[in-house]
């Protein structure tokens, strides 16, 4: 049996080939989950395929795709937070406590990124890892350019504090 390939299917296939790796990388940096990033990008592309007639007519289809990944990442993070709260609530009812927990001595960039609020993290990742302009970042996230500027600046400052605690120690709190 021969498959019929129309223009829309061929365009989507080309779009997939061109942007899949980028969307996986974006998902990984936003969620901090290397294993789940591939699934998240695939889910986003499936959602794009379902709306391909609208997406292919968009002015910036790649920005639209990044926005879908960012929104799905936000949803997954929120779901994970809700699940952690349920688990924490369950375990808080138990009397067992650890007096001296094992805390990593070094905080790497991914751990520091995961510590940022989602909007700051997304702005930092899109601006510095994907080299998007402020305008493209704003378009991707559906926020203003001014918000991108402030969230990126604040996010980078927070990353520096997290990655170099000695730098923040002498500065006092703001």
């Amino acid at each position: 049996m021969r498959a019929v390939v129309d223009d829309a299917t061929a365009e989507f296939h080309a779009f997939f080939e061109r942007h899949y790796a980028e969307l996986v990388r974006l998902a990984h940096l936003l969620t901090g989950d290397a294993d789940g990033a591939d699934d998240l990008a695939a889910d986003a592309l499936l959602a794009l395929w379902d709306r391909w007639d609208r997406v292919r007519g968009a002015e910036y289809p790649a920005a639209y795709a990044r926005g879908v990944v960012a929104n799905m990442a936000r949803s997954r993070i929120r779901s994970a937070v809700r699940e952690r709260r349920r688990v924490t609530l369950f375990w808080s009812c138990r009397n067992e406590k650890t007096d001296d927990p094992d805390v990593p001595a070094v905080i790497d960039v991914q751990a520091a990124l995961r510590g940022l609020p989602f909007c700051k993290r997304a702005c930092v990742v899109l601006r510095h890892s994907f080299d998007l302009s402020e305008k493209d970042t704003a378009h991707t996230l559906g926020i203003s350019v001014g918000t991108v500027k402030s969230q990126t600046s604040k996010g980078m400052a927070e990353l520096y504090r997290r990655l170099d605690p000695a730098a923040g120690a002498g500065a006092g709190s703001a």
Side-chain angles (χ1 to χ4, degrees), residues 31-90:
T31 63
D33 180 11
D35 297 328
D38 189 59
D39 292 338
L40 196 145
D43 289 347
L45 284 161
L46 182 60
L48 290 172
W49 173 246
D50 288 341
R51 301 187 289 267
W52 187 243
D53 57 326
R54 284 189 311 214
V55 175
R56 72 193 276 216
E59 190 172 353
Y60 301 105
Y64 187 90
R66 287 185 209 110
V68 170
V69 169
N71 287 334
M72 287 183 152
R74 181 182 298 117
S75 293
R76 289 196 182 183
I77 290 167
R78 286 178 177 162
S79 293
V81 167
R82 282 192 299 272
E83 181 62 22
R84 269 188 240 129
R85 286 181 183 150
R86 283 192 288 271
V87 168
T88 301
L89 181 61
F90 171 78

Side-chain angles (χ1 to χ4, degrees), residues 2 25 32 34 58 61 63 113-114 121-122 136 158:
R2 215 173 132 180
R25 194 168 121 225
L113 275 171
R114 282 192 300 272
R121 180 180 341 147
D136 289 341
E158 193 168 330

Side-chain angles (χ1 to χ4, degrees), residues 45-149:
L45 284 161
L46 182 60
L48 290 172
W49 173 246
D50 288 341
R51 301 187 289 267
W52 187 243
D53 57 326
R54 284 189 311 214
V55 175
R56 72 193 276 216
E59 190 172 353
Y60 301 105
Y64 187 90
R66 287 185 209 110
V68 170
V69 169
N71 287 334
M72 287 183 152
R74 181 182 298 117
S75 293
R76 289 196 182 183
I77 290 167
R78 286 178 177 162
S79 293
V81 167
R82 282 192 299 272
E83 181 62 22
R84 269 188 240 129
R85 286 181 183 150
R86 283 192 288 271
V87 168
T88 301
L89 181 61
F90 171 78
W91 285 105
S92 68
C93 296
R94 302 175 58 94
N95 291 332
E96 300 171 18
K97 298 283 182 190
T98 303
D99 292 333
D100 192 16
D102 182 20
V103 178
V106 178
I107 300 174
D108 65 3
V109 172
Q110 287 183 345
L113 275 171
R114 282 192 300 272
L116 293 177
F118 183 81
C119 190
K120 286 180 187 173
R121 180 180 341 147
C123 287
V124 168
V125 166
L126 290 171
R127 292 282 292 127
H128 295 286
S129 295
F130 283 81
D131 294 323
L132 291 185
S133 68
E134 291 165 343
K135 181 180 176 185
D136 289 341
T137 300
H139 184 55
T140 297
L141 298 175
I143 58 179
S144 72
V145 171
T147 300
V148 169
K149 289 179 181 181

